[in-house]
Amino acid sequence: QVRAGEIVCIYGLMGAGRTELLEAVAGRGELVEGRVMLEGQNVAGLTIAERIACGLSLVPEDRQRDGLVQIMAIRENLTLSSLGRFTRAFHLDLKAEARTAIDFIKRLTIKVASAENPVSTLSGGNQQKVVIGKALMTNPKILLMDEPSRGIDIGAKAEVFRTMRKLAAEGLGILFVTSDLDEVRALSDRILVMANGRISGEFPGDADAAAIIG
């Protein structure tokens, strides 16, 4: 369970089933059994696009493979999941799309020379912010984040974490996965420990590290 404005972490080692769980919730993986409830509605039978429309959005673990189209512009990557909001009849309102992309670049402090540059020209941390921005542009109620700091330097991690805290303060529910215990304790309001495909424990965000790994 994740509440509005809450950051919940799923902590576990590689192979614990964390990514599979997030992908099942988002609709990318098959749900063998159970329900996915969002504000009282069971979305388990919906497509990925329908779940996004209901308010679920996933920031995938591998941003290079699953989160970005490297040859496309930063602007195009940001708006890729929400093109419907810029469509007028059979045409794309490019001015509205560009304005919104610039707004999100400023909001997330993405360091760019131009929104029209290929996303591949950005650093790892700024690429991750583009992936987050793309998800946020769908107006989610719950943001699923799989290893949000993977492959980025310490400075970029701090910026991504500040962004996560800011989003939670604005009322967004965040469910994120990590195997880094320092991240768990720095960010979480609640901690769920996962092992062998099951939730094996639940702790408050200020829990002792020894208790979490025990």
Side-chain angles (χ1 to χ4, degrees):
Q1 188 178 60
V2 182
R3 303 174 183 89
E6 184 179 38
I7 300 179
V8 177
C9 173
I10 298 177
Y11 171 75
L13 302 178
M14 293 285 290
R18 307 161 309 162
T19 293
E20 290 82 358
L21 175 59
L22 286 198
E23 291 189 343
V25 171
R28 289 188 61 190
E30 182 180 355
L31 189 68
V32 178
E33 63 181 57
R35 297 178 299 166
V36 181
M37 306 297 295
L38 182 60
E39 295 186 325
Q41 177 187 0
N42 184 10
V43 302
L46 302 183
T47 65
I48 294 175
E50 289 168 338
R51 295 188 202 203
I52 290 173
C54 288
L56 274 177
S57 195
L58 172 67
V59 174
E61 179 180 15
D62 191 335
R63 63 176 173 271
Q64 301 284 351
R65 184 188 66 192
D66 300 324
L68 299 169
V69 181
Q70 296 290 327
I71 61 172
M72 290 174 66
I74 297 161
R75 167 185 56 81
E76 293 172 315
N77 272 277
L78 278 167
T79 62
L80 201 55
S81 294
S82 50
L83 289 175
R85 67 189 284 185
F86 308 113
T87 302
R88 307 290 182 266
F90 298 104
H91 301 283
L92 190 64
D93 187 338
L94 294 177
K95 290 184 178 179
E97 182 198 20
R99 282 196 304 270
T100 305
I102 292 298
D103 286 344
F104 273 80
I105 287 169
K106 291 178 179 177
R107 178 182 173 187
L108 297 173
T109 61
I110 304 171
K111 297 179 177 64
V112 303
S114 168
E116 300 308 311
N117 287 346
V119 74
S120 58
T121 62
L122 298 179
S123 67
N126 284 298
Q127 286 189 14
Q128 183 70 321
K129 288 184 184 180
V130 171
V131 179
I132 294 171
K134 181 177 72 170
L136 293 178
M137 210 173 282
T138 66
N139 295 317
K141 298 179 177 74
I142 296 291
L143 186 61
L144 309 171
M145 307 183 76
D146 195 351
E147 295 279 8
S149 67
R150 180 187 178 194
I152 58 179
D153 62 38
I154 293 175
K157 283 184 183 182
E159 289 189 15
V160 169
F161 294 164
R162 278 195 294 270
T163 298
M164 291 170 67
R165 292 192 191 96
K166 179 183 177 183
L167 294 171
E170 294 172 356
L172 183 66
I174 296 176
L175 179 64
F176 83 101
V177 156
T178 186
S179 53
D180 187 320
L181 197 55
D182 291 335
E183 290 180 17
V184 173
R185 301 181 71 237
L187 284 170
S188 308
D189 296 312
R190 282 190 298 122
I191 302 161
L192 303 175
V193 177
M194 193 167 188
N196 299 317
R198 296 180 180 275
I199 302 297
S200 59
E202 180 172 346
F203 300 90
D206 59 356
D208 184 73
I212 297 171
I213 62 177

